Amino acid sequence: MNPDGSQDSVVNATPSTDEFVAGARRSPDGKFLVYGFFSGINGVARNNLARLLTSGAVDSSYNIATGPDSGVNAAVLQPDGKLLIGGAFETVRGIARRGIARLNADGTVDATFTPGTGFMDSQSGFGSVYQLALQPDGRVIAVGYFDRFNGVVRNRVARLNRNGTLDTTFNAGTGPMNEGYPALFDRVTLQPDGKIVLGGGFHTFHGQRFPGLLRLKPNGALDDSFSPGSFSLDGSIASVAFAPDGPMLVGGGFSSFGGFPCSGLVRLKNDFDVLIHSLSRLDMSRVQITGLAQVGKSYTLQSSQDLVNWTDRDTRIAVAPTVVLEDQNAGGVAARFYRVLRK
């Protein structure tokens, strides 16, 4: 697409896929690596993975032979041009690679990345990687439907070293649960400080309540400073991203978050600080602000006339998933800015 939303007439890409394209990654040379669950694109046989030229034509120099033998759900392009793929496959180009593989720039399997028996769920005998996140140091985090990696217990999330072996320093324990049954992590996103945000259709983790969203420390331990457990969610989380100015953006199949309507998208600022939901004038001298908050945390309402100098107006400790703060000296003021700080 062009920047204005119109179709780019130079690109003639009509993927005649049998099923679907899960996603695409653009390489520095402008080519596109397309992945999903299909057996052909533009009439050219390609199993679940292909590379397209800038014109949209299939790149014949990127021939992955038989390719992955089942769907590819995730792909991450490394800075060196190699491609990490995750999915429900058991082989790539006829080489055993269950759930994860790394390909060289020409589409061949990278023999230096050795995941052993790979990912598997011990109950079903099947395994699938849903998403991958590449850390700056080259290690990769995988989430999905599995409880073993190369025979070692790893419940729904694991981190691998650059050579494909298990990083034993990272262990998230018993994993996510939903009504007493194992649940899933569907999404993984890295923060700039190395912490790991996980999303999915789960309600508890390590016995604590979480509305499908939690954060781990770099070693896989639960980050207690991020505690959205007091919030309710009427659906599941499908995506997590970070805005350039810092706030977390959460999207998914939900219509409310913490009891407030948000139609599948909500922004969380500063590690789950208060989310201002409403501002109303109670009378000529009082203004009331209501927002989402963490139970037990202290919140302070501040006001300003110039966005430089701020004055405390009210401080309260949240005893419920919402906090109500008041400015009782708003009379005779033509305009006033407000913010809420968690202390």
Side-chain angles (χ1 to χ4, degrees), residues 102-132:
R102 189 166 67 194
L103 306 181
N104 296 310
D106 60 358
T108 58
V109 176
D110 183 0
T112 67
F113 187 84
T114 55
T117 57
F119 292 100
M120 184 184 72
D121 178 75
S122 60
Q123 298 298 314
S124 65
F126 168 81
S128 182
V129 170
Y130 293 163
Q131 195 174 38
L132 300 169

Side-chain angles (χ1 to χ4, degrees), residues 206-223:
H206 287 193
Q208 299 183 44
R209 178 173 173 78
F210 290 91
L213 185 68
L214 60 82
R215 188 170 67 190
L216 303 179
K217 297 177 181 178
N219 64 356
L222 184 65
D223 182 4

Side-chain angles (χ1 to χ4, degrees), residues 194-278:
K195 292 181 179 180
I196 303 150
V197 178
L198 300 173
F202 59 92
H203 291 164
T204 59
F205 181 78
H206 287 193
Q208 299 183 44
R209 178 173 173 78
F210 290 91
L213 185 68
L214 60 82
R215 188 170 67 190
L216 303 179
K217 297 177 181 178
N219 64 356
L222 184 65
D223 182 4
D224 293 326
S225 67
F226 181 82
S227 55
S230 60
F231 298 97
S232 60
L233 186 72
D234 67 348
S236 61
I237 290 174
S239 61
V240 179
F242 289 91
D245 56 348
M248 182 187 301
L249 299 169
V250 180
F254 52 86
S255 59
S256 67
F257 190 88
F260 294 112
C262 47
S263 300
L265 181 65
V266 65
R267 185 170 75 168
L268 311 179
K269 188 176 181 181
N270 298 330
D271 293 353
F272 244 89
D273 275 354
V274 67
L275 299 173
I276 295 177
H277 178 257
S278 65

Side-chain angles (χ1 to χ4, degrees), residues 14-339:
T14 54
S16 54
T17 61
D18 305 273
E19 295 293 341
F20 64 90
V21 171
R25 293 290 180 265
R26 187 176 185 179
S27 57
D29 61 3
K31 297 178 181 179
F32 291 91
L33 289 153
V34 181
Y35 57 94
F37 186 69
F38 51 83
S39 61
I41 291 185
N42 286 349
V44 181
R46 288 292 186 272
N47 287 327
N48 307 311
L49 181 66
R51 188 166 69 188
L52 305 182
L53 301 173
T54 55
S55 65
V58 175
D59 183 357
S60 59
S61 69
Y62 191 81
N63 189 347
I64 58 170
T66 56
D69 65 349
S70 191
V72 177
N73 300 321
V76 176
L77 192 63
Q78 294 187 171
D80 60 2
K82 294 183 178 182
L83 182 72
L84 283 161
I85 59 173
F89 50 84
E90 295 191 358
T91 65
V92 179
R93 295 178 62 116
I95 300 172
R97 288 291 187 273
R98 179 177 283 176
I100 191 168
R102 189 166 67 194
L103 306 181
N104 296 310
D106 60 358
T108 58
V109 176
D110 183 0
T112 67
F113 187 84
T114 55
T117 57
F119 292 100
M120 184 184 72
D121 178 75
S122 60
Q123 298 298 314
S124 65
F126 168 81
S128 182
V129 170
Y130 293 163
Q131 195 174 38
L132 300 169
L134 183 66
Q135 296 187 169
D137 62 4
R139 290 182 292 182
V140 60
I141 300 170
V143 298
Y145 179 67
F146 58 82
D147 62 10
R148 298 288 189 279
F149 176 79
N150 199 20
V152 181
V153 174
R154 284 296 183 273
N155 288 296
R156 307 324 193 205
V157 58
R159 185 167 66 191
L160 309 186
N161 296 310
R162 297 182 64 176
N163 62 1
T165 60
L166 181 67
D167 180 0
T168 57
T169 67
F170 181 92
N171 190 348
T174 56
M177 303 290 289
N178 192 352
E179 304 300 332
Y181 294 95
L184 295 174
F185 291 132
D186 298 324
R187 294 292 179 264
V188 54
T189 303
L190 299 178
Q191 292 191 175
D193 61 1
K195 292 181 179 180
I196 303 150
V197 178
L198 300 173
F202 59 92
H203 291 164
T204 59
F205 181 78
H206 287 193
Q208 299 183 44
R209 178 173 173 78
F210 290 91
L213 185 68
L214 60 82
R215 188 170 67 190
L216 303 179
K217 297 177 181 178
N219 64 356
L222 184 65
D223 182 4
D224 293 326
S225 67
F226 181 82
S227 55
S230 60
F231 298 97
S232 60
L233 186 72
D234 67 348
S236 61
I237 290 174
S239 61
V240 179
F242 289 91
D245 56 348
M248 182 187 301
L249 299 169
V250 180
F254 52 86
S255 59
S256 67
F257 190 88
F260 294 112
C262 47
S263 300
L265 181 65
V266 65
R267 185 170 75 168
L268 311 179
K269 188 176 181 181
N270 298 330
D271 293 353
F272 244 89
D273 275 354
V274 67
L275 299 173
I276 295 177
H277 178 257
S278 65
L279 184 150
S280 59
R281 179 173 286 278
L282 300 179
D283 52 39
M284 294 300 295
S285 62
R286 294 187 301 157
V287 170
Q288 184 181 85
I289 287 178
T290 303
L292 297 177
Q294 295 182 48
V295 174
K297 299 293 184 179
S298 177
Y299 294 90
T300 296
L301 174 66
Q302 294 184 335
S303 69
S304 174
Q305 299 294 114
D306 55 10
L307 295 176
V308 176
N309 301 297
W310 294 88
T311 302
D312 290 355
R313 295 297 178 184
D314 193 9
T315 298
R316 301 188 189 187
I317 296 175
V319 296
T322 58
V323 62
V324 179
L325 299 162
E326 288 187 14
D327 177 2
Q328 299 185 1
N329 296 286
V333 179
R336 178 170 283 178
F337 298 98
Y338 290 101
R339 71 180 182 185

